[in-house]
Amino acid sequence: MSESGVHTSERVSTLYRKFGTAIYSRCRRLLKDDALAEDATQEVFVRVLRHIQSAPDDATALAWIYRISTNYCLNQIRDRSRQAEPTAPDEMPEGDGGEVNSEGEMMDRNTAMKLIARAPEKLQEVAVLYYVDGLEQEQVAKTLGISRRTVINRLQEFVERSRKFISRDEV
Amino acid sequence: MNARGHLSSETIDLLLLSALTAPETNDAKQHLDGCEDCRTRWRELNEDKQRFEQFVFARTLPKVEARVAAERGGFFSRFKLKFLVPAMVLAAAAAGVVFTTGPGTQTEDDAYVGIKGQPTFELFAKRGQSGVFPVGPEVALHPGDRIGFMVNPAGSKYLLVASQDGAGVFSVYHPFGAQVSQPLADVKAKLELPGSVELDATLGSERVVAVFSEEPLKAGEIEAALKASTQNPKLPGARFVVREFHKVAP
């Protein structure tokens, strides 16, 4: 390997060691499967590498990691759900775990993920960043490159859909 | 702490990376002491770190390196770049390029990045017979390195890539030597621009700019806009994406 090749390889290794945990942990949390999370970590890292190499700070690098890993994992979840058997009613989220309070906040991250998996694609990444990651609306907007108004609208739509879903399930 | 009374994932991740300021670190640790939910997430993240470093990293690094090498190796060959026309070498000599700063471009695997509407501009370099690598802030380029360009026009119909070095010398890199921006073959896809520039022996810094537009723009107007403000050039109908470079001796 040339000197430059060694240099590049070392840099990739250093960045992978540094940011790999954030990617792996996130994929593990979203996919809930260790083997899938391991595969996803490699895929996401290769896709995000260019961005974290040129990111001016770790916060910017993390924003790219959140954005790309969220989209990647949501795609994986969608692919899995297309192949899966339809969910039986008793596997639907329980109303008490998925309650939306008066401020429209989902109180349980696992339940939020179940609801997110059933939401339309355009609402999913916003809901993950807000409810699962606990980012502020402004941070979600910055991470996804959309306006805060769009974030608010999508969160409202997600909450309304979730309320209907939960109440229907309770019936 | 976010408005919902917990630490966000970003804060917890930055804490693990030791990337928070001292006051932020104190605040975060203080919150962890008193919040069971966040403490659980912090513990989970540390467990994931252990698992990643002990097992996943070693198991997956060779595959990651192979993927990265394959992607970089394919960059120039995909473009069918014909490195260096002598005239371009001379032009680069008058320009002196090298390493980028600023927030990363908004390219990448667009299906996962999910950005639409923002034109992007990326630079890659090739050194000797080694693979291609992206030009980032921590990468210093050397005389003799070759740089190539990748853009995503995001619907813009015309493009011109130019540079302005520290001495204010203006050069058009793509289309090389053109007096006016040229139409793009595909306005919606990420494009690897044909040709590349071999860096001359001049050391220093300079800015390279991709100028996207709906109508053809004159190189002279772009030069004037850059001279007025290299940080934030403005020209009616133009969308600028600016990169800054430095070149150092090997």
Side-chain angles (χ1 to χ4, degrees):
Chain A
M1 186 181 284
S2 68
E3 186 184 341
S4 171
V6 171
H7 174 70
T8 301
S9 176
E10 282 176 358
R11 197 149 44 88
V12 168
S13 170
T14 302
L15 288 170
Y16 191 42
R17 188 180 291 278
K18 178 176 180 181
F19 291 107
T21 295
I23 299 172
Y24 175 65
S25 183
R26 183 170 187 75
C27 293
R28 205 164 163 255
R29 185 146 35 101
L30 293 175
L31 296 171
K32 301 192 181 308
D33 182 303
D34 286 356
L36 288 178
E38 192 168 314
D39 289 343
T41 301
Q42 302 165 47
E43 294 296 328
V44 169
F45 179 76
V46 170
R47 288 172 167 85
V48 84
L49 177 60
R50 242 182 267 164
H51 299 289
I52 60 180
Q53 279 180 319
S54 59
D57 51 46
D58 289 344
T60 306
L62 282 177
W64 282 112
I65 286 170
Y66 290 171
R67 180 181 203 150
I68 292 174
S69 58
T70 301
N71 275 311
Y72 184 87
C73 291
L74 289 174
N75 276 352
Q76 295 292 305
I77 292 167
R78 278 193 287 271
D79 288 347
R80 268 193 298 178
S81 68
R82 282 189 201 109
Q83 295 163 5
E85 292 293 317
T87 308
D90 60 357
E91 291 171 341
M92 300 286 193
E94 293 298 327
D96 56 351
E99 276 178 2
V100 178
N101 67 19
S102 55
E103 285 79 41
E105 292 172 5
M106 203 72 56
M107 302 311 288
D108 180 282
R109 284 190 299 147
N110 287 331
T111 305
M113 271 312 295
K114 287 181 185 172
L115 293 168
I116 287 165
R118 293 176 170 275
E121 202 171 323
K122 69 168 185 173
L123 307 181
Q124 289 184 335
E125 58 180 3
V126 169
V128 167
L129 293 173
Y130 186 77
Y131 290 114
V132 179
D133 290 314
L135 298 187
E136 303 290 11
Q137 292 168 353
E138 193 67 44
Q139 288 176 296
V140 175
K142 196 175 164 190
T143 301
L144 298 178
I146 57 180
S147 71
R148 189 175 174 211
R149 173 45 56 192
T150 302
V151 171
I152 292 169
N153 289 342
R154 288 184 186 176
L155 288 174
Q156 280 175 345
E157 188 178 341
F158 175 74
V159 168
E160 283 162 19
R161 283 174 172 273
S162 299
R163 280 200 176 111
K164 284 179 194 166
F165 180 74
I166 291 167
S167 59
R168 188 194 68 188
D169 193 38
E170 284 172 344
V171 171
Chain B
M1 194 166 67
N2 65 23
R4 287 155 279 173
H6 293 291
L7 299 178
S8 69
S9 295
E10 183 189 38
T11 303
I12 293 178
D13 281 331
L14 288 172
L15 182 64
L16 191 73
L17 290 169
S18 303
L20 292 175
T21 63
E24 288 169 343
T25 301
N26 286 339
D27 287 348
K29 285 184 175 172
Q30 214 166 18
H31 179 84
L32 285 175
D33 287 341
C35 178
E36 180 59 35
D37 284 352
C38 291
R39 204 159 50 239
T40 300
R41 290 169 64 201
W42 174 243
R43 192 173 56 243
E44 285 171 358
L45 183 61
N46 277 282
E47 287 167 2
D48 286 342
K49 179 181 165 68
Q50 268 196 323
R51 193 191 305 253
F52 178 78
E53 290 182 346
Q54 284 182 2
F55 307 111
V56 180
F57 179 80
R59 212 154 43 205
T60 56
L61 180 63
K63 296 177 199 167
V64 165
E65 287 180 327
R67 285 278 306 277
V68 172
E71 295 207 354
R72 286 176 177 168
F75 177 81
F76 279 83
S77 56
R78 281 201 308 276
F79 286 152
K80 298 184 175 131
L81 292 182
K82 300 197 169 158
F83 292 114
L84 284 274
V85 196
M88 282 184 96
V89 180
L90 293 174
V97 181
V98 188
F99 83 84
T100 48
T101 62
T105 55
Q106 298 168 318
T107 54
E108 182 37 29
D109 209 301
D110 295 334
Y112 297 108
V113 173
I115 293 179
K116 289 183 177 60
Q118 291 277 13
T120 62
F121 180 40
E122 291 174 274
L123 285 89
F124 290 80
K126 183 174 172 64
R127 181 170 299 158
Q129 296 306 308
S130 65
V132 176
F133 54 95
V135 180
E138 79 285 10
V139 180
L141 297 190
H142 302 157
D145 287 349
R146 297 179 300 226
I147 58 169
F149 311 107
M150 182 181 282
V151 298
N152 184 343
S156 295
K157 293 175 184 164
Y158 290 84
L159 171 69
L160 183 142
V161 176
S163 83
Q164 187 178 45
D165 66 16
V169 175
F170 178 83
S171 307
V172 176
Y173 281 171
H174 180 84
F176 179 70
Q179 293 300 307
V180 66
S181 52
Q182 299 293 303
L184 287 155
D186 188 340
V187 302
K188 291 184 178 171
K190 190 187 287 186
L191 304 169
E192 299 169 345
L193 301 180
S196 68
V197 176
E198 183 174 311
L199 303 178
D200 72 336
T202 308
L203 306 180
S205 65
E206 112 177 39
R207 285 188 170 84
V208 174
V209 58
V211 189
F212 301 89
S213 58
E214 293 302 305
E215 302 291 337
L217 296 172
K218 291 178 182 169
E221 294 173 331
I222 292 168
E223 180 180 4
L226 282 172
K227 284 193 190 306
S229 171
T230 50
Q231 294 281 4
N232 189 22
K234 291 189 188 305
L235 181 64
R239 302 166 88 180
F240 289 85
V241 183
V242 181
R243 298 287 148 210
E244 186 176 359
F245 299 91
H246 290 287
K247 183 168 53 175
V248 298

